[in-house]
Amino acid sequence: MKPIVSVIVPVYNGERTIKKCLDSILAQTLKEIEVIVINDNSTDSTLEILKSYKKKIVLIDNKENMGPAGSRNKGLEKAKGKYVGFVDADDYISEHMYKTMLDNMSDDTDLVCCSRYNVKGTNIKPIINESKTTNIKEFSKTSSYTWDKLYRKSIIDENNIYFPERYSYAEDFCFLMKYKFYSNKMVILDEPLYYYKYDSFGSITNSYDEKIYDIIDALSDTVKFFQSKEAFEDNYYELLLISAGFYVRRIKEFSRFTNYKLKKEFVRRFISYFKNYFPDYKRVVNTFGTDRNVFYRSNYHLMLMYIKYKEKRLK
């Protein structure tokens, strides 16, 4: 039986979560699915767990750690389905997720996006996307993640779209933006079908180190891609809006961590990025996600004062 949907799952040291993840995929009401799991050189019991599923999954065992980007790329090379989905090993999905998404695919639809649940411990909160737009060039209307979506494999293959392996963060954003550029129409579902464990160990919101700078580099690469296609000016506002979202959301998380040097450098690099590509960035950054202007966001020195104030409160 040839699969209709290939589901790609990269996993590194996922012994605590991978069974629940795989069980949720294998329980799908859509049966024409292949599950491709890439063990990224795990050092715990992940591989042994995966071997117990060997009759139900396609197992790729990396002999060296390639990161989520390299692992997803290997999964794409192996995928035989007409459509492709991604699931992170920390997460799990509704039993009818891919059946529902496939039902909303059509000849003129290239991307289907669902809503999600944010899972933190025993707290499960629905995050509903109520947008009705089908214009895929309204980039900011969907999340920047890859896992709450269903993709047409032919678009990925024909345009040589892959995950940039030099990044640890935001590599999925680069993939998604290129895919959207080459696509025509999308459908957004207000039904939450994906359970995202945003407090998991590997989540960007749960750890900060210098790899966080990858976000800025990934955004810069995306802008350069649109410039190379002579499409930057036409998509200027949407790209600025997405960039502001990445910046402001990271700032909101600053209060959880005490690394002043890293925060300072992150703000410096991000404001430099804004000034380089979006001269009028303040109009969006200052009002993003709020009902009033927060002018310190776009001012480097005021941001440093804000960070120091927050760090004192943490202590």
Side-chain angles (χ1 to χ4, degrees):
M1 178 180 66
K2 184 176 180 180
I4 297 176
V5 175
S6 298
V7 183
I8 297 172
V9 185
V11 54
Y12 172 72
N13 288 353
E15 63 181 9
R16 294 176 297 176
T17 61
I18 189 61
K19 189 177 187 302
K20 184 171 185 176
C21 173
L22 291 182
D23 287 347
S24 72
I25 301 171
L26 294 169
Q28 291 294 290
T29 55
L30 177 69
K31 298 306 178 184
E32 297 89 350
I33 284 182
E34 69 170 349
V35 185
I36 303 172
V37 185
I38 307 92
N39 174 48
D40 196 20
N41 199 30
S42 297
T43 58
D44 62 3
S45 63
T46 295
L47 183 57
E48 286 68 32
I49 295 171
L50 295 179
K51 286 179 178 178
S52 71
Y53 287 85
K54 63 182 180 181
K55 294 183 179 180
K56 301 177 181 179
I57 65 173
V58 177
L59 176 58
I60 300 173
D61 186 22
N62 292 347
K63 299 308 178 185
E64 60 182 43
N65 187 270
M66 299 182 66
S71 296
R72 290 192 191 105
N73 287 337
K74 291 188 75 170
L76 284 172
E77 291 174 3
K78 194 78 172 178
K80 298 177 181 178
K82 183 177 180 180
Y83 304 101
V84 174
F86 300 94
V87 178
D88 284 357
D90 296 335
D91 306 332
Y92 55 99
I93 62 177
S94 164
E95 66 179 0
H96 59 276
M97 173 169 164
Y98 286 113
K99 176 67 166 59
T100 301
M101 297 177 88
L102 186 62
D103 286 346
N104 282 275
M105 271 286 186
S106 62
D107 291 342
D108 63 346
T109 301
D110 295 325
L111 184 69
V112 177
C113 317
C114 69
S115 295
R116 71 178 189 270
Y117 293 101
N118 275 359
V119 181
K120 186 174 183 179
T122 59
N123 181 35
I124 300 178
K125 179 182 178 181
I127 306 297
I128 308 300
N129 188 339
E130 297 181 347
S131 175
K132 301 302 180 185
T133 183
T134 59
N135 182 2
I136 205 163
K137 299 304 187 288
E138 291 186 55
F139 304 123
S140 61
K141 298 300 184 182
T142 73
S143 77
S144 296
Y145 305 118
T146 52
W147 35 251
D148 53 353
K149 301 172 178 69
L150 186 65
Y151 307 82
R152 191 179 297 275
K153 181 68 159 47
S154 60
I155 293 177
I156 296 171
D157 292 341
E158 291 167 7
N159 296 287
N160 192 30
I161 304 172
Y162 57 88
F163 293 86
E165 298 179 17
R166 61 189 178 279
Y167 297 140
S168 297
Y169 295 144
E171 79 289 341
D172 49 352
F173 170 75
C174 291
F175 174 91
L176 177 61
M177 291 299 289
K178 288 184 179 180
Y179 183 89
K180 286 183 175 181
F181 176 80
Y182 290 113
S183 302
N184 294 307
K185 179 184 173 184
M186 67 179 174
V187 171
I188 298 175
L189 306 177
D190 58 11
E191 181 179 2
L193 299 170
Y194 192 98
Y195 291 79
Y196 169 49
K197 296 181 69 175
Y198 75 101
D199 63 333
S200 64
F201 178 77
S203 172
I204 188 173
T205 62
N206 208 39
S207 60
Y208 269 76
D209 56 31
E210 291 186 355
K211 292 177 182 178
I212 195 176
Y213 304 146
D214 287 354
I215 293 173
I216 305 165
D217 294 335
L219 287 168
S220 296
D221 279 359
T222 300
V223 168
K224 290 173 184 175
F225 169 78
F226 276 82
Q227 289 176 330
S228 72
K229 300 297 181 180
E230 298 183 350
F232 176 63
E233 295 301 326
D234 289 342
N235 297 283
Y236 179 96
Y237 178 74
E238 282 291 314
L239 291 169
L240 173 53
L241 197 61
I242 289 173
S243 300
F246 271 105
Y247 177 59
V248 173
R249 282 190 289 270
R250 298 294 83 80
I251 289 173
K252 288 181 178 178
E253 293 156 6
F254 275 1
S255 61
R256 298 172 56 192
F257 305 96
T258 54
N259 188 333
Y260 175 74
K261 184 178 179 181
L262 184 144
K263 296 175 187 177
K264 175 181 175 182
E265 180 62 13
F266 181 78
V267 169
R268 186 194 68 78
R269 293 190 189 191
F270 226 124
I271 290 181
S272 177
Y273 159 80
F274 280 128
K275 289 181 177 179
N276 189 27
Y277 295 113
F278 304 98
D280 59 340
Y281 72 98
K282 293 182 180 181
R283 68 187 175 93
V284 171
V285 171
N286 289 350
T287 58
F288 186 88
T290 65
D291 296 325
R292 58 187 175 83
N293 285 355
V294 186
F295 61 90
Y296 60 79
R297 290 174 179 169
S298 58
N299 183 291
Y300 176 64
H301 296 290
L302 290 175
M303 273 302 304
L304 298 190
M305 293 173 62
Y306 169 79
I307 293 169
K308 286 182 178 179
Y309 168 73
K310 289 291 187 180
E311 293 223 334
K312 284 183 179 179
R313 293 197 65 181
L314 279 176
K315 295 176 181 177

